[in-house]
Tab-separated table of all heavy atoms in Angstrom:
chain	number	residue	atom	x	y	z
A	1	ALA	N	28.495	50.190	-32.965
A	1	ALA	CA	27.828	51.428	-32.633
A	1	ALA	C	27.324	52.086	-33.900
A	1	ALA	O	28.017	52.137	-34.904
A	1	ALA	CB	28.804	52.366	-31.906
A	2	ALA	N	26.093	52.598	-33.844
A	2	ALA	CA	25.501	53.226	-35.024
A	2	ALA	C	25.954	54.675	-35.109
A	2	ALA	O	25.190	55.605	-34.914
A	2	ALA	CB	23.979	53.136	-34.968
A	3	GLN	N	27.263	54.893	-35.350
A	3	GLN	CA	27.819	56.224	-35.473
A	3	GLN	C	28.493	56.355	-36.825
A	3	GLN	O	29.049	55.401	-37.341
A	3	GLN	CB	28.833	56.486	-34.363
A	3	GLN	CG	28.211	56.411	-32.957
A	3	GLN	CD	29.254	56.608	-31.888
A	3	GLN	OE1	30.432	56.671	-32.171
A	3	GLN	NE2	28.817	56.733	-30.661
A	4	VAL	N	28.481	57.569	-37.342
A	4	VAL	CA	29.130	57.789	-38.629
A	4	VAL	C	30.626	57.858	-38.402
A	4	VAL	O	31.105	58.706	-37.654
A	4	VAL	CB	28.639	59.094	-39.277
A	4	VAL	CG1	29.357	59.336	-40.595
A	4	VAL	CG2	27.149	59.049	-39.466
A	5	PRO	N	31.427	56.956	-38.975
A	5	PRO	CA	32.864	56.980	-38.775
A	5	PRO	C	33.490	58.137	-39.537
A	5	PRO	O	32.918	58.643	-40.497
A	5	PRO	CB	33.324	55.631	-39.343
A	5	PRO	CG	32.292	55.296	-40.343
A	5	PRO	CD	31.003	55.864	-39.835
A	6	PRO	N	34.681	58.576	-39.116
A	6	PRO	CA	35.359	59.656	-39.828
A	6	PRO	C	35.577	59.287	-41.276
A	6	PRO	O	35.847	58.145	-41.611
A	6	PRO	CB	36.686	59.794	-39.059
A	6	PRO	CG	36.426	59.178	-37.724
A	6	PRO	CD	35.415	58.115	-37.959
A	7	ALA	N	35.529	60.303	-42.157
A	7	ALA	CA	35.663	60.037	-43.588
A	7	ALA	C	37.030	59.490	-43.931
A	7	ALA	O	37.195	58.710	-44.856
A	7	ALA	CB	35.398	61.321	-44.377
A	8	THR	N	38.034	59.905	-43.155
A	8	THR	CA	39.390	59.467	-43.489
A	8	THR	C	39.708	58.097	-42.945
A	8	THR	O	40.631	57.454	-43.420
A	8	THR	CB	40.407	60.467	-42.918
A	8	THR	OG1	40.192	60.579	-41.510
A	8	THR	CG2	40.244	61.828	-43.584
A	9	ALA	N	38.991	57.650	-41.952
A	9	ALA	CA	39.284	56.336	-41.355
A	9	ALA	C	37.991	55.685	-40.941
A	9	ALA	O	37.622	55.709	-39.776
A	9	ALA	CB	40.212	56.478	-40.148
A	10	PRO	N	37.271	55.096	-41.871
A	10	PRO	CA	35.981	54.456	-41.561
A	10	PRO	C	36.146	53.376	-40.519
A	10	PRO	O	37.101	52.615	-40.556
A	10	PRO	CB	35.535	53.882	-42.908
A	10	PRO	CG	36.346	54.609	-43.934
A	10	PRO	CD	37.619	54.977	-43.277
A	11	THR	N	35.169	53.324	-39.600
A	11	THR	CA	35.221	52.312	-38.559
A	11	THR	C	34.702	50.990	-39.078
A	11	THR	O	33.572	50.921	-39.523
A	11	THR	CB	34.366	52.741	-37.352
A	11	THR	OG1	34.822	54.012	-36.910
A	11	THR	CG2	34.471	51.712	-36.235
A	12	PRO	N	35.521	49.922	-39.041
A	12	PRO	CA	35.037	48.628	-39.529
A	12	PRO	C	34.057	48.033	-38.559
A	12	PRO	O	34.094	48.344	-37.374
A	12	PRO	CB	36.321	47.785	-39.609
A	12	PRO	CG	37.221	48.390	-38.583
A	12	PRO	CD	36.902	49.851	-38.564
A	13	PRO	N	33.150	47.182	-39.037
A	13	PRO	CA	32.229	46.499	-38.128
A	13	PRO	C	32.995	45.588	-37.209
A	13	PRO	O	34.096	45.136	-37.531
A	13	PRO	CB	31.310	45.719	-39.075
A	13	PRO	CG	32.054	45.631	-40.355
A	13	PRO	CD	32.930	46.822	-40.424
A	14	PRO	N	32.443	45.267	-36.025
A	14	PRO	CA	33.159	44.458	-35.044
A	14	PRO	C	33.568	43.109	-35.556
A	14	PRO	O	34.529	42.537	-35.082
A	14	PRO	CB	32.155	44.320	-33.885
A	14	PRO	CG	31.130	45.347	-34.127
A	14	PRO	CD	31.125	45.685	-35.564
A	15	SER	N	32.804	42.541	-36.525
A	15	SER	CA	33.115	41.197	-36.987
A	15	SER	C	34.313	41.166	-37.911
A	15	SER	O	34.845	40.107	-38.200
A	15	SER	CB	31.905	40.593	-37.708
A	15	SER	OG	31.570	41.409	-38.820
A	16	ALA	N	34.746	42.374	-38.397
A	16	ALA	CA	35.852	42.374	-39.342
A	16	ALA	C	37.146	42.076	-38.626
A	16	ALA	O	37.399	42.537	-37.526
A	16	ALA	CB	35.934	43.733	-40.027
A	17	PRO	N	38.053	41.295	-39.241
A	17	PRO	CA	39.318	40.993	-38.616
A	17	PRO	C	40.171	42.234	-38.500
A	17	PRO	O	40.100	43.141	-39.319
A	17	PRO	CB	39.947	39.948	-39.546
A	17	PRO	CG	39.029	39.759	-40.681
A	17	PRO	CD	37.853	40.657	-40.513
A	18	ALA	N	41.000	42.303	-37.487
A	18	ALA	CA	41.901	43.422	-37.300
A	18	ALA	C	42.956	43.431	-38.377
A	18	ALA	O	43.311	42.393	-38.912
A	18	ALA	CB	42.556	43.332	-35.910
A	19	PRO	N	43.499	44.608	-38.739
A	19	PRO	CA	44.553	44.651	-39.753
A	19	PRO	C	45.740	43.833	-39.338
A	19	PRO	O	46.081	43.708	-38.168
A	19	PRO	CB	44.894	46.145	-39.835
A	19	PRO	CG	43.693	46.844	-39.285
A	19	PRO	CD	43.108	45.933	-38.271
A	20	ALA	N	46.446	43.282	-40.335
A	20	ALA	CA	47.571	42.397	-40.060
A	20	ALA	C	48.669	43.132	-39.323
A	20	ALA	O	49.332	42.585	-38.440
A	20	ALA	CB	48.102	41.828	-41.370
A	21	ALA	N	48.888	44.420	-39.698
A	21	ALA	CA	49.968	45.167	-39.067
A	21	ALA	C	49.741	45.296	-37.575
A	21	ALA	O	50.663	45.171	-36.770
A	21	ALA	CB	50.087	46.546	-39.708
A	22	ALA	N	48.488	45.548	-37.185
A	22	ALA	CA	48.189	45.683	-35.759
A	22	ALA	C	48.429	44.383	-35.029
A	22	ALA	O	48.895	44.357	-33.899
A	22	ALA	CB	46.755	46.147	-35.574
A	23	LYS	N	48.083	43.261	-35.665
A	23	LYS	CA	48.278	41.967	-35.025
A	23	LYS	C	49.758	41.677	-34.814
A	23	LYS	O	50.166	41.114	-33.810
A	23	LYS	CB	47.641	40.871	-35.871
A	23	LYS	CG	46.146	40.967	-35.968
A	23	LYS	CD	45.606	39.853	-36.828
A	23	LYS	CE	44.103	40.007	-36.981
A	23	LYS	NZ	43.534	38.997	-37.847
A	24	GLN	N	50.603	42.062	-35.832
A	24	GLN	CA	52.018	41.767	-35.712
A	24	GLN	C	52.689	42.699	-34.717
A	24	GLN	O	53.650	42.319	-34.047
A	24	GLN	CB	52.671	41.908	-37.096
A	24	GLN	CG	52.184	40.844	-38.081
A	24	GLN	CD	52.746	41.065	-39.474
A	24	GLN	OE1	53.343	42.097	-39.729
A	24	GLN	NE2	52.541	40.110	-40.355
A	25	ALA	N	52.183	43.952	-34.641
A	25	ALA	CA	52.818	44.912	-33.760
A	25	ALA	C	52.597	44.583	-32.303
A	25	ALA	O	53.463	44.784	-31.463
A	25	ALA	CB	52.287	46.319	-34.056
A	26	ALA	N	51.424	44.076	-31.970
A	26	ALA	CA	51.129	43.774	-30.563
A	26	ALA	C	50.363	42.483	-30.492
A	26	ALA	O	49.167	42.474	-30.312
A	26	ALA	CB	50.332	44.915	-29.935
A	27	ALA	N	51.069	41.394	-30.656
A	27	ALA	CA	50.422	40.088	-30.605
A	27	ALA	C	50.004	39.794	-29.181
A	27	ALA	O	50.842	39.750	-28.288
A	27	ALA	CB	51.386	39.017	-31.103
A	28	PRO	N	48.734	39.623	-28.916
A	28	PRO	CA	48.262	39.385	-27.544
A	28	PRO	C	48.574	37.974	-27.117
A	28	PRO	O	48.794	37.086	-27.940
A	28	PRO	CB	46.737	39.606	-27.652
A	28	PRO	CG	46.440	39.227	-29.066
A	28	PRO	CD	47.640	39.629	-29.865
A	29	PRO	N	48.614	37.724	-25.811
A	29	PRO	CA	48.799	36.345	-25.360
A	29	PRO	C	47.616	35.505	-25.763
A	29	PRO	O	46.534	36.012	-26.024
A	29	PRO	CB	48.879	36.493	-23.824
A	29	PRO	CG	48.170	37.787	-23.543
A	29	PRO	CD	48.458	38.678	-24.713
A	30	LYS	N	47.816	34.207	-25.854
A	30	LYS	CA	46.751	33.289	-26.264
A	30	LYS	C	45.569	33.393	-25.320
A	30	LYS	O	45.718	33.214	-24.113
A	30	LYS	CB	47.297	31.862	-26.265
A	30	LYS	CG	46.296	30.850	-26.781
A	30	LYS	CD	46.944	29.501	-26.864
A	30	LYS	CE	45.937	28.476	-27.353
A	30	LYS	NZ	46.524	27.135	-27.456
A	31	PRO	N	44.394	33.743	-25.838
A	31	PRO	CA	43.233	33.923	-24.961
A	31	PRO	C	42.732	32.610	-24.400
A	31	PRO	O	43.036	31.541	-24.908
A	31	PRO	CB	42.189	34.557	-25.897
A	31	PRO	CG	42.581	34.078	-27.258
A	31	PRO	CD	44.078	33.964	-27.235
A	32	ALA	N	41.919	32.755	-23.363
A	32	ALA	CA	41.317	31.547	-22.789
A	32	ALA	C	40.382	30.930	-23.793
A	32	ALA	O	39.815	31.614	-24.635
A	32	ALA	CB	40.542	31.921	-21.514
C-alpha cells in the first residue's frame, strides 16, 4: 500500500521476510 508508515515503526514492503521473533512466537502450520 502506498501509505506513509508511522515514523516509529516503518511498514516493510510485502516481499520482506517477517521478523524472526514473530515466526518463532506463532509458527503457522505448513502451508499448502
